Amino acid sequence: ESARIPILNNAEEMDDRTVIVAIRGGCTFGEKGNKAQEAGAAGILFVNNIEGNDHPQGPDAHCSNTTASMINKDDGAHLLKALRHKQDGVKGR
């Protein structure tokens, strides 16, 4: 059984152009993928919570029809920082 159900606080803002960025852990890949699919998102990008990109496949990892990929922890940290920076109203050049 999973540790918790994924929460998507802004599901009403999702559409078929939205890619959700989710940090790995807390529940299964499939649970997060299904939540993204239910919200109508185009896909989900997992940020690994450990070094590297190796991970064991869970039993439901392929149960979602949502496009999914994973990036490593360091790249994910840079992406999340950039997204937070943009959310705070800072625009790039």
Side-chain angles (χ1 to χ4, degrees), residues 30-44:
E31 288 170 325
K32 287 183 182 178
N34 287 334
K35 186 63 90 168
Q37 183 177 341
E38 289 169 11
I44 187 166

Side-chain angles (χ1 to χ4, degrees), residues 39-53:
I44 187 166
L45 178 64
F46 294 102
V47 174
N48 209 345
N49 61 354
I50 58 174
E51 296 301 323
N53 263 348

Side-chain angles (χ1 to χ4, degrees), residues 29-89:
F29 293 111
E31 288 170 325
K32 287 183 182 178
N34 287 334
K35 186 63 90 168
Q37 183 177 341
E38 289 169 11
I44 187 166
L45 178 64
F46 294 102
V47 174
N48 209 345
N49 61 354
I50 58 174
E51 296 301 323
N53 263 348
D54 295 332
H55 61 86
Q57 293 293 325
D60 71 342
H62 300 286
C63 292
S64 174
N65 291 327
T66 302
T67 300
S69 191
M70 181 182 286
I71 60 176
N72 67 48
K73 185 177 181 178
D74 291 338
D75 290 342
H78 291 297
L79 175 61
L80 290 169
K81 182 178 179 181
L83 290 171
R84 287 183 188 114
H85 197 63
K86 181 175 172 120
Q87 187 177 34
D88 290 339

